[in-house]
Amino acid sequence: MAQRLDYLKESASQTAGPYVHIGCMPNFSGISIYGGDLGTTMKTGPVTGQEIKITGVVHDGVGAPVRDAMIELWQADAAGLYPSANEARGNPDPNFTGFGRSPGDPVTGEFVFETVKPGRVPFRDGRLQAPHATLWIVARGINIGLHTRLYFEDETEANSEDPILTRIEHQSRVPTLLAKKTGEAQYRFDIHLQGPKETIFFDM
Amino acid sequence: MSENSTNGGYIARDWTRQPAAYTPGYKTTVKRSPQAALLSFPTTLSEETSPVFGHGIIGELDNDLIHNFAKPGESAIGPRIIVYGRVLDETGRPVPGALLEFWQANAGGRYRHAKEGYIAPLDPNFGGCGRMITDENGSYEFRTIQPGPYPWPNGMNDWRPAHIHFSIFGHGFAQRLITQMYFEGDPLIPLCPIARVLNDQRAIDDLTAPLDMNRTVPMDARAYKFDIVLRGRRQTYFENRKEGL
Ligand SMILES: [Fe+3]
């Protein structure tokens, strides 16, 4: 026997269950204890960059909308800076939180984010990544939060040199990560948990 | 970008301790589980940063579920408990400034939710949610009532052990976690299809809070300890080494 390495083990994930909104978006659930739900507003004042709206629906393996999900979005500001305590590269837009939370609509399952088009953020080796947002999806029946990325279909040039998009083995699946432009400053990003249109999910 | 701004990135997740997506004993996972392999990449700034939640968002009663929804002078019904613990990372370092959000059923096992169908009564003085930010030692503490077990539609007679749901934000989005705390000695834990999505008994034990009589407040509330471990960052000796894949 050798000595033991003193690492701890990450706590195991358990499903957020059907009532995740009680804990994470209580006002949405009709419980008014806090001033408002976190992540409902990503812009706290005039922001720099292009303001955009992203909508979408999470679909299950039979194509039905998942109505009890909570979707979180985390992204850089228009200059590619994260509004995070460990952002060491500069001062992010003070009126932009970078963090959004949306419940699925109780009837349609649609989620909505009013945000700005993110700037480009460097990869580990310094190459620039294409503009993207990190999405995290939890719901009843999801044992561990699903992590994916939203890229923009109209960023053709940046996407073609993105260090992650270009390294995906099954290039036919890359479109599952591209938000479609549906109007001026409007994007659509549907997520498929399972099946032929299954979204790429990440282990990062 | 300065080379050490990414440090060594987050340590790869130990998937042997995490649940698979497809666990048919918990039936809802069958059509909500991705079938393709997850795509693995080392973390980038997008996963090594995280939103900042200041102590300013926390209201006076946010960590007191016995009173935060109760009418003035009243309190929630049920066994009064204190839940306390620390948020650490895999290297054993405390995670200060972590936002914890928690939610639970009332003492009868019923949630305050439009879609809740269990016949147990609502407690007019219990909302069922609270939140807290860890201090400089990664410590947190809140008061609540012990939730009741409840039946749920899955198998013909499945009951959830008493549990409290936790959502945790650490310092990087790679650490984002939602989990559940169970109570030491609950005979429903080994029967529960949701606890059993973990096929490592140690992982279940690590989600089970022991009774701590030393932290119990006599004639008031029993105490349970629940520590949470988030992913850790790799330590890099050569901080200025050019990092590649
Ligand atoms: Fe529950």
Side-chain angles (χ1 to χ4, degrees):
Chain A
M1 292 283 277
Q3 293 186 6
R4 277 200 306 269
L5 293 170
D6 290 328
Y7 292 105
L8 303 175
K9 290 292 186 183
E10 184 191 22
S11 299
S13 171
Q14 292 268 266
T15 181
Y19 308 125
V20 59
H21 305 107
I22 292 177
C24 296
M25 308 199 78
N27 291 281
F28 172 76
S29 310
I31 300 171
S32 306
I33 295 174
Y34 319 143
D37 290 334
L38 287 181
T40 50
T41 312
M42 296 182 67
K43 295 175 278 191
T44 56
V47 290
T48 305
Q50 188 196 7
E51 298 188 44
I52 61 169
K53 182 176 178 179
I54 298 167
T55 59
V57 169
V58 180
H59 300 275
D60 69 14
V62 296
V66 175
R67 298 185 182 87
D68 50 14
M70 179 177 78
I71 297 92
E72 289 186 347
L73 179 147
W74 172 240
Q75 65 162 79
D77 68 10
L81 295 172
Y82 277 101
S84 170
N86 38 17
E87 172 57 85
R89 297 169 300 146
N91 296 317
D93 185 340
N95 291 330
F96 183 64
T97 70
F99 174 69
R101 244 180 192 173
S102 179
D105 180 273
V107 178
T108 64
E110 187 168 274
F111 60 83
V112 181
F113 294 102
E114 306 259 7
T115 182
V116 301
K117 190 96 171 271
R120 299 181 70 174
V121 175
F123 193 58
R124 301 191 63 77
D125 57 9
R127 281 182 293 163
L128 287 178
Q129 304 183 79
H132 66 274
T134 294
L135 292 184
W136 196 67
I137 301 123
V138 294
R140 176 175 65 98
I142 294 176
N143 285 328
I144 181 163
L146 295 170
H147 174 180
T148 188
R149 279 188 170 195
L150 177 158
Y151 290 83
F152 298 87
E153 69 166 2
D154 55 346
E155 295 285 343
T156 323
E157 196 182 324
N159 290 344
S160 71
E161 60 187 31
D162 181 80
I164 288 187
L165 289 181
T166 53
R167 275 182 55 116
I168 292 174
E169 184 185 354
H170 298 112
Q171 282 291 308
S172 63
R173 297 185 67 208
V174 168
T176 69
L177 301 179
L178 302 181
K180 295 192 173 33
K181 189 165 185 184
T182 53
E184 190 52 38
Q186 308 255 352
Y187 292 90
R188 178 80 184 179
F189 190 68
D190 285 317
I191 296 165
H192 296 270
L193 299 181
Q194 192 185 84
K197 291 189 278 187
E198 186 175 308
T199 301
I200 292 177
F201 296 103
F202 290 84
D203 164 35
M204 290 186 81
Chain B
M1 179 184 57
S2 73
E3 295 303 335
N4 62 9
S5 68
T6 57
N7 200 340
Y10 279 90
I11 297 168
R13 183 165 252 153
D14 180 355
W15 287 96
T16 66
R17 295 271 293 206
Q18 294 295 345
Y22 175 79
T23 51
Y26 174 19
K27 294 181 181 179
T28 313
T29 67
V30 172
K31 289 297 177 192
R32 292 188 171 191
S33 44
Q35 292 165 317
L38 298 179
L39 194 66
S40 296
F41 275 99
T43 53
T44 72
L45 279 168
S46 305
E47 296 77 35
E48 291 159 18
T49 53
S50 184
V52 178
F53 302 104
H55 292 265
I57 67 165
I58 304 294
E60 201 186 340
L61 292 178
D62 284 8
N63 70 338
D64 183 357
L65 283 70
I66 296 175
H67 295 107
N68 68 10
F69 193 78
K71 293 181 218 31
E74 299 188 18
S75 57
I77 291 172
R80 297 156 63 89
I81 60 170
I82 290 163
V83 178
Y84 80 95
R86 295 178 78 198
V87 180
L88 304 165
D89 73 16
E90 289 169 295
T91 66
R93 286 182 293 197
V95 184
L99 174 69
L100 304 181
E101 297 164 290
F102 17 87
W103 64 101
Q104 62 168 88
N106 69 22
R110 176 154 167 175
Y111 284 96
R112 180 171 292 279
H113 195 280
K115 288 184 181 161
E116 164 70 282
Y118 185 31
I119 55 171
L122 274 174
D123 176 349
N125 289 312
F126 187 70
C129 63
R131 59 185 181 178
M132 198 59 202
I133 291 178
T134 56
D135 69 13
E136 65 277 13
N137 302 312
S139 298
Y140 73 92
E141 176 172 349
F142 64 95
R143 279 177 170 256
T144 185
I145 52 88
Q146 191 164 14
Y150 58 83
W152 59 298
N154 185 63
M156 286 179 67
N157 187 22
D158 282 326
W159 289 71
R160 294 303 322 280
H163 62 276
I164 300 176
H165 297 265
F166 278 74
S167 163
I168 308 105
F169 284 88
H171 297 171
F173 216 72
Q175 296 178 306
R176 194 76 183 84
L177 181 71
I178 282 184
T179 188
Q180 302 182 24
M181 177 196 115
Y182 301 107
F183 291 84
E184 177 182 21
D186 189 333
L188 289 169
I189 298 171
L191 305 180
C192 175
I194 288 178
R196 286 166 66 162
V197 304
L198 303 172
N199 48 30
D200 183 335
Q201 181 60 39
R202 291 168 303 179
I204 299 175
D205 293 345
D206 285 346
L207 296 181
T208 306
L211 173 70
D212 181 357
M213 288 304 287
N214 294 340
R215 281 290 281 265
T216 289
V217 181
M219 307 302 285
D220 181 347
R222 286 172 299 135
Y224 283 88
K225 187 205 75 157
F226 187 55
D227 289 339
I228 296 161
V229 180
L230 304 179
R231 285 172 67 188
R233 289 186 76 146
R234 201 173 294 130
Q235 304 290 301
T236 46
Y237 184 75
F238 298 103
E239 289 212 340
N240 292 315
R241 183 171 56 87
K242 180 92 176 157
E243 298 194 55
L245 272 174

